[in-house]
Amino acid sequence: MNTTFIKKDGDSTYVAYVALGKIEGRDVSDPGQLLAFVRNTEKFREGPRQRNLKLTFKIDHPFGQPCVRYSLVGEDPKVPGSPGVVFDIDAYGLVCPHPTATGFTAWIDFSRRSPKGVPHAGGIDEGERFLKSVQFMDVRR
């Protein structure tokens, strides 16, 4: 289950995203285990399209249970259709174990991407309101 919202202004994009996923064979009920799991996901690895300039993780409790809050600031030098243009990227989010469905995690985030020197399509305050607006429901299996 996931939902995505996209805002675009020229070459600048702003994406808000929520996904609920099942973790097979991993226990993330302990904050330290959750933090280790999030740090080692593909999303935060550098590659041809992502150079991390700053990456932080911390335990937060926005919904009453421990979640990992992350922020990433980086560059994307290989945006399709924009050869030779380096884009600034930033992403902020939460990874939370589902409060009533063991083995499920919610990834809630927003990210912005713009050519260097071009304003982003939205502010961080919009994304923070989005992060705080998420409500957990029971998972039907």
Side-chain angles (χ1 to χ4, degrees), residues 19 22 33 36 38 40 47 52 54 65 79 83 87 100 102 128:
K22 185 156 179 57
Q33 293 167 325
V38 173
N40 291 310
N52 298 340
K54 183 178 179 188
Q65 83 268 17
V79 173
F87 280 62
T100 61
T102 303
E128 285 297 323

Side-chain angles (χ1 to χ4, degrees), residues 20-41:
L20 183 64
K22 185 156 179 57
I23 299 177
E24 299 292 339
R26 297 286 309 253
D27 179 9
V28 294
S29 58
D30 173 79
Q33 293 167 325
L34 179 63
L35 185 59
F37 167 73
V38 173
R39 282 181 190 246
N40 291 310
T41 60

Side-chain angles (χ1 to χ4, degrees), residues 53-89:
L53 302 176
K54 183 178 179 188
L55 182 58
T56 61
F57 301 93
K58 70 178 184 176
I59 299 296
D60 195 2
H61 297 80
F63 306 110
Q65 83 268 17
C67 298
V68 172
R69 178 178 280 273
Y70 61 85
S71 66
L72 177 144
V73 176
E75 297 176 327
D76 181 348
K78 296 193 181 276
V79 173
S82 297
V85 178
V86 176
F87 280 62
D88 288 324
I89 57 174

